[in-house]
Amino acid sequence: MLTLPVIGVITWTGFEHPWLFLFGVVPVAILAAYVVAQRRRRRRVARFVGTPPGPAVANGLRWRHVPLALTLVGLGVLTVALAGPTRDVRIPRNRAVIMLVVDVSQSMRATDVDPTRLAAAEQAAKQFAGGLTPGINLGLIAFAGNANLLVAPSPDHQATITALDKLQTADKTATGEAIFTALQSIATVGAVLSTDGDTSPPPARIVLLSDGDENVPGDPSNPRGAYTAARYAKDQGVPISTIAFGTAGGYVDLNAERLPVPVGKETMTQIAQLSGGQTYSATNVEQLNQSYESVQRQIGFQVLPGPASEGWVRLAVLIATLAAVLALVVNRRLPT
């Protein structure tokens, strides 16, 4: 795709009516007829004149071909415009469902991210919720040893922003249970949205933010484990975008003991891969915001082909105008 001043967008990545390129034979036929006519004209001139024209006349005769050449180029450009070139257009989603799943286990108290991992995650999640397109149904789940549905999916994004202020840390990390709870909420709101006339399930995504490995159950491949839940999410057509948040040097003071809580990137990556989603990692608030922005670009909009013939039409008109101007100038300069 190319953007030109005055002309606008010029793209050649796709066409709505490619069969209209058949009109491209018109400028080719005109060119062939012009070449034949010029050869016949030269033979007639040579028969009656007998001597080749001088340099000034020869140069003028060469310029005589330029207006037609530009006209043929303009016809070719117009043919491209008729074929209906398209470009990718980002359209806000109106039926999408996003479940924001936030880890509130004790490891989120670590201060390797200022002021704490959880406080930074709350602020970034608020910014994410506030920037979503209005029609998206956003829900919130907080999980530690259990998963709690704090906000059911709704276009009221302010409800999620308000609930984020009330997150409290707790023991354990049941990532799989949180994913299953998110999938249940998505299925519920999907059934409601399907009664509005569109029976197809709404596009859905889980955004999982966590800093560590699952420990409830101990094996993520158990029936209620994170890997099992991720596979089930893929079966349901719900990708999981994971954000591993924290650093390798994080720690928390718990029961008068300092415990290391390094971020568990491997687990988060595996969850994303098993579900068909993307994985991100962030060690500070700025990176976390960038991760959320990447997720929002994927979820908040759908990319559809849109018309892009206007730039080609403008270019064709510009070329045709230039051809007409040159025709007037060249005809005035040619010897009679």
Side-chain angles (χ1 to χ4, degrees):
M1 186 172 67
L2 179 66
T3 302
L4 301 176
V6 180
I7 302 300
V9 175
I10 299 294
T11 178
W12 47 83
T13 55
F15 297 90
E16 290 183 292
H17 313 293
W19 63 272
L20 288 176
F21 275 114
L22 292 173
F23 281 100
V25 302
V26 174
V28 174
I30 293 174
L31 177 61
Y34 183 76
V35 171
V36 171
Q38 291 302 306
R39 287 179 177 176
R40 291 178 177 176
R41 182 175 182 276
R42 281 198 297 270
R43 286 197 296 266
R44 288 197 302 269
V45 171
R47 186 180 308 135
F48 290 102
V49 176
T51 58
V57 175
N59 289 333
L61 292 175
R62 293 191 189 98
W63 275 102
R64 179 167 50 85
H65 303 305
V66 174
L68 179 69
L70 285 175
T71 300
L72 295 179
V73 172
L75 287 174
V77 172
L78 187 59
T79 300
V80 176
L82 288 175
T86 62
R87 62 172 174 168
D88 290 340
V89 178
R90 297 172 70 240
I91 300 176
R93 295 186 187 272
N94 291 322
R95 298 178 67 245
V97 181
I98 298 177
M99 289 303 303
L100 186 58
V101 181
V102 180
D103 183 358
V104 294
S105 60
Q106 295 292 354
S107 59
M108 292 293 286
R109 294 168 45 210
T111 57
D112 55 336
V113 180
D114 187 52
T116 65
R117 291 178 179 177
L118 182 58
E122 290 174 357
Q123 293 302 316
K126 288 179 184 178
Q127 182 173 328
F128 172 72
L132 285 176
T133 51
I136 288 182
N137 295 276
L138 178 64
L140 176 65
I141 290 174
F143 74 98
N146 297 298
N148 298 312
L149 176 62
L150 302 182
V151 179
S154 165
D156 181 12
H157 301 165
Q158 184 59 44
T160 296
I161 295 174
T162 301
L164 285 166
D165 283 327
K166 303 176 182 178
L167 299 183
Q168 299 290 331
T169 57
D171 296 335
K172 308 291 185 180
T173 306
T175 309
E177 199 64 42
I179 295 173
F180 279 119
T181 303
L183 290 171
Q184 181 60 50
S185 296
I186 290 171
T188 300
V189 72
V192 173
L193 293 176
S194 296
T195 61
D196 294 337
D198 190 347
T199 58
S200 61
R205 180 75 60 97
I206 295 173
V207 181
L208 172 65
L209 184 143
S210 179
D211 66 349
D213 299 328
E214 180 182 55
N215 53 32
V216 179
D219 184 357
S221 293
N222 280 354
R224 302 298 290 183
Y227 294 168
T228 303
R231 294 186 181 95
Y232 184 68
K234 184 174 183 178
D235 293 340
Q236 299 300 307
V238 182
I240 302 174
S241 295
T242 62
I243 304 176
F245 186 44
T247 67
Y251 65 86
V252 292
D253 294 321
L254 190 63
N255 299 324
E257 184 180 1
R258 176 159 291 185
L259 302 175
V261 286
V263 63
K265 294 182 180 179
E266 293 79 8
T267 298
M268 300 292 278
T269 300
Q270 186 70 3
I271 291 173
Q273 291 178 347
L274 290 172
S275 69
Q278 293 79 32
T279 185
Y280 307 90
S281 61
T283 59
N284 54 54
V285 176
E286 181 180 355
Q287 291 179 355
L288 182 56
N289 286 329
Q290 292 174 353
S291 298
Y292 272 126
E293 289 173 1
S294 297
V295 173
Q296 182 177 342
R297 285 193 296 269
Q298 297 172 12
I299 304 173
F301 298 85
Q302 57 182 330
V303 179
L304 298 174
S309 59
E310 184 176 347
W312 288 97
V313 172
R314 289 176 180 171
L315 183 59
V317 171
L318 179 62
I319 294 174
T321 302
L322 182 59
V325 171
L326 284 176
L328 293 175
V329 173
V330 170
N331 286 335
R332 289 183 60 186
R333 294 178 58 186
L334 284 178
T336 58

